[in-house]
Amino acid sequence: MLRKLRYLLLLAFLFPLLLPAQDAKTIVNRSIQSMRNTKTLKGMINRQERVKGKMEEGKLYFKMTPNPYQVYVYNYAPDEGTEVLFKTGWNNNKAYIFPNKFPFINVSFKPLSNTLLKGRHHSIYDVGFTYTLKVVEHVMEKYGDDFDKYVTLQPEVNYRGQACYVVQIDYDEYAYEDYVVEQGENIVDIDQKLRVPAYKIIEINDGINDIWDVKAGQTIKVPNVYASKVVFFIDKKDYLPLVQVVYDDEGLFERYEYSQLEYNPPIDPGEFTPEWDEYMFKKK
């Protein structure tokens, strides 16, 4: 009996060592599955984005559901105290905003309006992991059998007390190519089709000032992939990409850090209405 017990204890010790080591593709696939399984999400985002050659910083708190898409945002920087509420099909599909400055009245803007996109890489549609999921899925599809050529597993790190895998994507063939704008397309439509950043398309094309500044038949330059290098810190508990660092041919392009993240927490439906007690919308 004692010998059997010792054998079982030895197996319990050795079993984790006998499991196959995690590889980059397995980790990325598990991350994709976790993002797909997101029902609700809450947390903080610290962002850095290169805008007109300068790194702009921001910090916000958010809560969201991907299906149906609805999101609440509280800005800490810039424009501290600004609140944004968006629900698919509500408010004529416009974002409802309390700007927290004179004359302290609520306003509504289309999510892709120049006002809401000014100085930012992404729109209110991209809060949480909605956009990241689409880009990572595209990476898996694009690289296919060459996945291991471009995607590698780096030494693990500890991010805000959470053990994380580090997955790195390197694409030395990063370049610009011609694209002919199709009827009815804007820059965000092209972004969604090719999975390359809308802001980068605007940046590399002289004469294009915003996402609407293109017309059918026009030839523009677009990146052939999202970035020349991307680094993800993927937490070992929920397999979510807590840190996303993106480089292009000019260096750091954008960086996003998630903290205080709650994965699939309960959210009262009232939290996506302007009447929720914690919000300032109804107190205008």
Side-chain angles (χ1 to χ4, degrees):
M1 182 67 182
L2 184 59
R3 182 179 298 176
K4 183 176 181 181
L5 180 61
R6 288 174 177 170
Y7 176 72
L8 290 174
L9 288 173
L10 182 62
L11 273 183
F13 175 76
L14 291 177
F15 183 70
L17 303 179
L18 298 174
L19 292 175
Q22 291 272 32
D23 57 31
K25 182 173 287 188
T26 299
I27 293 168
V28 171
N29 276 321
R30 292 195 65 174
S31 183
I32 287 173
Q33 197 58 50
S34 286
M35 289 188 281
R36 286 176 179 169
N37 289 339
T38 301
K39 308 301 181 189
T40 58
L41 199 64
K42 293 182 178 182
M44 302 286 296
I45 303 176
N46 284 277
R47 66 176 175 87
Q48 290 180 289
E49 296 174 334
R50 192 181 69 231
V51 178
K52 297 182 178 179
K54 179 182 177 182
M55 296 306 299
E56 301 286 350
E57 298 189 1
K59 181 180 180 180
L60 61 84
Y61 169 79
F62 75 95
K63 58 183 76 170
M64 61 86 67
T65 69
N67 187 27
Y69 188 78
Q70 48 190 357
V71 59
Y72 166 80
V73 168
Y74 179 94
N75 262 18
Y76 286 96
D79 305 319
E80 184 173 2
T82 298
E83 294 178 298
V84 182
L85 182 65
F86 177 80
K87 294 171 60 176
T88 303
W90 174 77
N91 194 33
N92 293 318
N93 273 324
K94 293 182 179 180
Y96 194 57
I97 302 160
F98 173 70
N100 196 32
K101 59 185 177 182
F102 185 82
F104 296 97
I105 60 172
N106 300 327
V107 294
S108 296
F109 290 103
K110 293 180 179 180
L112 297 182
S113 67
N114 289 333
T115 300
L116 289 189
L117 288 176
K118 184 178 180 181
R120 298 177 184 273
H121 284 192
H122 299 285
S123 76
I124 193 69
Y125 289 125
D126 301 330
V127 176
F129 298 116
T130 306
Y131 187 86
T132 303
L133 172 60
K134 294 175 183 176
V135 171
V136 175
E137 287 176 327
H138 181 68
V139 166
M140 295 296 284
E141 180 182 350
K142 181 180 180 68
Y143 295 158
D145 293 338
D146 291 329
F147 181 91
D148 292 334
K149 174 183 176 182
Y150 300 107
V151 186
T152 57
L153 193 59
Q154 303 296 313
E156 295 177 13
V157 298
N158 187 289
Y159 169 71
R160 296 180 180 267
Q162 293 180 271
C164 294
Y165 298 111
V166 179
V167 174
Q168 182 168 310
I169 304 172
D170 293 283
Y171 195 75
D172 294 338
E173 296 94 336
Y174 182 87
Y176 304 141
E177 56 191 22
D178 288 340
Y179 177 82
V180 179
V181 180
E182 296 185 1
Q183 186 67 41
E185 283 187 327
N186 60 46
I187 298 295
V188 170
D189 294 326
I190 298 169
D191 168 330
Q192 294 293 319
K193 178 193 292 185
L194 304 180
R195 299 299 176 209
V196 295
Y199 186 86
K200 182 65 178 178
I201 296 173
I202 295 171
E203 185 178 63
I204 64 176
N205 284 277
D206 292 335
I208 296 180
N209 299 307
D210 56 53
I211 68 164
W212 307 101
D213 198 12
V214 290
K215 58 185 179 181
Q218 180 178 353
T219 299
I220 63 174
K221 294 292 184 183
V222 299
N224 57 352
V225 291
Y226 192 87
S228 62
K229 176 181 175 181
V230 182
V231 179
F232 291 112
F233 291 5
I234 299 175
D235 85 270
K236 299 178 72 171
K237 178 176 176 287
D238 294 320
Y239 284 83
L240 296 174
L242 301 183
V243 177
Q244 305 164 28
V245 191
V246 180
Y247 300 87
D248 62 7
D249 53 332
E250 297 179 32
L252 180 62
F253 180 63
E254 56 192 18
R255 179 185 179 99
Y256 304 101
E257 298 184 1
Y258 292 78
S259 60
Q260 301 175 39
L261 201 62
E262 298 180 56
Y263 182 52
N264 290 335
I267 298 181
D268 191 296
E271 296 182 54
F272 295 111
T273 68
E275 291 79 26
W276 191 249
D277 282 344
E278 298 175 8
Y279 304 159
M280 291 298 296
F281 299 108
K282 64 185 179 60
K283 302 171 186 177
K284 61 182 180 178

